[in-house]
């Protein structure tokens, strides 16, 4: 089966940079995605890595290394509205989600 | 992108009854996915629904408990049958974006409470 591990919680300060790591034990997937979910809301897509390397989308960047079975989401210039849960997910004809990381942002 | 309408948004049901959740998409999509999410937990895939064929269920989920219909390329239903309090959860439907399997779009979810 598939297994994606993330830290359960991360705390950072407004304006800072935070990195959320994702390690996985799966194979045969097309790429690694990241989703954001605010309390009471639906998950929303943030980023996708089909190839190894860094993808940048505004304040968010995501990285994938298939050889290390590892990826991360980097959030820059943190804002209070970034307080949410973040999920890594593998795309393999269906999408399987990691356990999620709750990001707390301090003013 | 895809806009998904899911209903009901929430319901409180008696144990032993069944609830059918509907999911309507504003465009034709090949696959639709049904997830379950316990509060504060991750999303667990229940099944993949393809039009014209039986749904494919993930380990731990069976058709008798979660029958799925997919009558056309824009609509699907998930029924939670013979409910127990353990079925209390948020149920979400999802579809792929136009770029294929690189991103998913979600309905707003159905918050189910079984009493």
């Amino acid at each position: 089966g598939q297994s994606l591990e993330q830290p359960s919680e991360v705390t950072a300060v407004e304006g800072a940079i935070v990195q959320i790591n994702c390690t996985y034990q799966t194979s045969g997937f097309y790429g690694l995605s990241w989703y954001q979910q605010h309390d009471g809301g639906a998950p929303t897509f943030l980023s996708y890595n089909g190839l190894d390397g860094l993808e940048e989308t505004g304040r968010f960047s995501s990285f994938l290394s298939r050889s290390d079975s590892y990826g991360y989401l980097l959030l820059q210039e943190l804002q209070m509205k970034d307080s949410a849960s973040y999920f890594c997910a593998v795309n393999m004809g269906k999408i399987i989600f990691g356990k999620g990381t709750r990001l707390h942002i301090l003013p | 992108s895809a806009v998904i309408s899911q209903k009901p948004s929430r319901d409180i049901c008696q144990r032993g009854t069944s609830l059918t959740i509907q999911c309507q998409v504003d465009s034709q999509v090949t696959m639709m996915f049904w997830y379950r999410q316990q509060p504060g937990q991750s999303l667990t895939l229940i099944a993949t629904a393809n039009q014209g064929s039986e749904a494919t269920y993930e380990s731990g989920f069976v058709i008798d408990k979660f029958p799925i219909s997919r009558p056309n390329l824009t609509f699907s239903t998930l029924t939670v049958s013979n409910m127990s309090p353990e079925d209390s959860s948020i149920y979400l439907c999802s579809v792929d974006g136009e770029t294929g399997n690189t991103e998913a779009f979600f309905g707003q979810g159905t918050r189910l409470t079984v009493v």
Side-chain angles (χ1 to χ4, degrees):
Chain A
Q2 302 83 28
S3 172
L4 297 97
E5 297 295 328
Q6 305 175 231
S8 59
E9 294 187 66
V10 172
T11 300
V13 178
E14 188 177 17
I17 299 172
V18 71
Q19 179 174 311
I20 300 173
N21 297 322
C22 174
T23 58
Y24 57 85
Q25 291 184 340
T26 189
S27 60
F29 64 94
Y30 302 119
L32 188 72
S33 302
W34 289 89
Y35 289 80
Q36 178 191 62
Q37 186 179 33
H38 287 98
D39 287 347
T44 57
F45 171 80
L46 290 178
S47 187
Y48 174 79
N49 292 77
L51 302 173
D52 282 8
L54 189 69
E55 291 287 336
E56 297 179 88
T57 307
R59 293 189 297 116
F60 297 162
S61 303
S62 60
F63 174 83
L64 173 64
S65 169
R66 291 178 187 262
S67 60
D68 295 322
S69 297
Y70 166 73
Y72 67 73
L73 178 70
L74 191 73
L75 296 84
Q76 303 182 70
E77 301 173 14
L78 285 171
Q79 302 174 11
M80 296 303 294
K81 68 178 182 180
D82 297 328
S83 294
S85 293
Y86 292 83
F87 297 91
C88 62
V90 288
N91 300 51
M92 45 198 307
K94 55 188 178 183
I95 297 177
I96 305 299
F97 286 82
K99 300 182 187 303
T101 299
R102 180 82 181 189
L103 174 60
H104 302 280
I105 298 176
L106 304 176
Chain B
S1 66
V3 177
I4 303 172
S5 300
Q6 185 175 338
K7 58 181 182 181
S9 58
R10 59 178 63 231
D11 207 342
I12 300 173
C13 300
Q14 296 290 325
R15 67 179 66 198
T17 64
S18 298
L19 175 72
T20 295
I21 302 167
Q22 298 180 7
C23 183
Q24 178 76 51
V25 190
D26 68 341
S27 58
Q28 294 185 340
V29 294
T30 303
M31 293 190 290
M32 295 177 76
F33 306 90
W34 288 97
Y35 290 86
R36 183 172 71 182
Q37 185 176 30
Q38 304 280 0
Q41 303 297 314
S42 183
L43 291 83
T44 301
L45 182 63
I46 298 171
T48 302
N50 292 317
Q51 193 267 336
S53 63
E54 280 200 4
T56 302
Y57 289 82
E58 298 298 306
S59 176
F61 298 96
V62 296
I63 187 171
D64 289 346
K65 176 66 176 178
F66 298 101
I68 287 172
S69 78
R70 184 79 201 273
N72 56 54
L73 292 174
T74 64
F75 186 79
S76 179
T77 67
L78 169 76
T79 298
V80 186
S81 303
N82 188 25
M83 288 183 286
S84 66
E86 291 70 35
D87 295 319
S88 297
S89 189
I90 298 170
Y91 293 84
L92 299 121
C93 68
S94 172
V95 302
D96 290 340
E98 293 178 0
T99 52
N101 200 226
T102 60
E103 63 178 291
F105 299 92
F106 288 84
Q108 286 303 306
T110 296
R111 183 180 294 271
L112 171 63
T113 302
V114 183
V115 298

